[in-house]
Amino acid sequence: MNYYDIRYMLSAPEIRLMVAELDGVLIASGYARIEKGRHYLKHTHHAYLGFMYVVPEHRGKGVNRLIIEALKNWAIEQNINELRLDVYYDNQPAIAAYEKAGFIKHLIEMRMGLTIPAATRPSLKGMSPLLLVSDLDRSIGFYTGVLGFSVQFRYEDFYAGIGRDGYSIHLKQTAQPPAADREYKRENEHVDITFSVAAVGDLYAGLAASSVDVVQPLREMPYGREFYISDPDGYIIAFLEEF
């Protein structure tokens, strides 16, 4: 859910977010967002559908159609007379479902990947995310003592670099992030850093047994197994073992 700002979507007047629930568990989602039409089109505005998803075990049961129908009714209430959405050309099950719901193919977007010659392509040597922290010494202690990083450099009393296994993070002491921001991250699974790891189960067992703040327990997702923890300033750190 990191890609979508759920809090904004729930309050924005131009967006309607719908979900389907079964026995207290979310099984499907979708939103309609009113957008301004191109000047050369007949309509001035249309509703764009996105976040369309149904968990695999409930596909083919008409759940997606119910979501679309609810979004369509909302769009009509807003005096919108056209719905639009995007779907990959090779996703035939989705295309068939949307056509059954009344959509028709309209425009094919085409692409071509280009290879930049090696001589002109810049070479990336690494990447160092910068985290604003409220107490530099406390943060250094967390990342070195709990996660096994080492201090690479320190500049005066407000800036430091830490690293492990060829990766580094920069820390800069500043005002502490507001509590509302930290709570928002926790509620919406906003991840600040993702580490790809091996043996994620063993890593989780070790950290969960310590005093680390576990935000999301170990879980299995379509792309791999992951869990989240929080650092002293509320930054959400994900550990992912991809399938």
Side-chain angles (χ1 to χ4, degrees):
M1 303 280 284
N2 303 328
Y3 184 80
Y4 298 99
D5 188 340
I6 302 299
R7 177 174 292 181
Y8 173 77
M9 293 171 68
L10 290 172
S11 60
E14 76 277 12
I15 299 177
R16 171 57 60 93
L17 175 64
M18 302 294 297
V19 298
E21 180 182 295
L22 180 64
D23 297 329
V25 178
L26 296 181
I27 62 170
S29 63
Y31 73 76
R33 181 180 65 233
I34 297 176
E35 298 181 346
K36 188 175 182 179
R38 301 285 186 178
H39 68 278
Y40 49 80
L41 297 176
K42 294 181 179 179
H43 61 275
T44 59
H45 292 79
H46 62 260
Y48 176 82
L49 304 191
F51 199 20
M52 306 299 294
Y53 180 77
V54 179
V55 296
E57 58 266 33
H58 290 289
R59 292 173 184 170
K61 300 179 180 179
V63 180
N64 189 55
R65 178 175 51 80
L66 294 176
I67 293 285
I68 292 176
E69 191 66 22
L71 295 175
K72 182 178 71 173
N73 291 336
W74 175 80
I76 292 173
E77 292 174 0
Q78 313 308 309
N79 294 317
I80 299 298
N81 61 7
E82 181 163 324
L83 299 181
R84 294 197 169 204
L85 55 79
D86 295 321
V87 60
Y88 287 107
Y89 82 98
D90 57 351
N91 190 349
Q92 292 303 319
I95 292 175
Y98 291 133
E99 288 181 332
K100 188 175 181 179
F103 287 85
I104 59 174
K105 296 184 180 73
H106 174 63
L107 179 69
I108 297 178
E109 179 178 344
M110 304 183 71
R111 62 182 296 272
M112 175 190 294
L114 302 178
T115 301
I116 302 175
T120 62
R121 185 172 61 236
S123 176
L124 299 179
K125 300 297 185 181
M127 182 179 68
S128 301
L130 172 62
L131 303 183
L132 302 180
V133 302
S134 58
D135 187 323
L136 185 61
D137 290 326
R138 181 182 65 173
S139 294
I140 290 175
F142 172 81
Y143 284 97
T144 57
V146 177
L147 299 183
F149 282 75
S150 60
V151 178
Q152 296 177 320
F153 69 87
R154 180 162 182 163
Y155 180 72
E156 297 184 352
D157 294 326
F158 70 92
Y159 203 100
I162 55 175
R164 174 183 171 179
D165 302 327
Y167 299 94
S168 63
I169 299 174
H170 288 190
L171 306 171
K172 181 179 180 181
Q173 182 166 305
T174 184
Q176 186 175 6
D181 182 59
R182 295 198 301 273
E183 288 305 312
Y184 172 77
K185 289 181 177 182
R186 296 178 73 97
E187 293 172 1
N188 293 276
E189 297 188 1
H190 176 95
V191 173
D192 295 287
I193 301 175
T194 298
F195 291 114
S196 294
V197 300
V200 69
D202 295 337
L203 178 60
Y204 173 72
L207 291 176
S210 67
S211 58
V212 170
D213 181 10
V214 176
V215 177
Q216 169 60 56
L218 183 64
R219 65 182 180 182
E220 184 169 309
M221 301 297 285
Y223 46 81
R225 302 173 70 212
E226 65 178 8
F227 70 93
Y228 305 162
I229 66 172
S230 174
D231 82 348
D233 284 277
Y235 289 108
I236 306 300
I237 304 169
F239 295 90
L240 167 66
E241 182 176 14
E242 296 180 290
F243 291 141

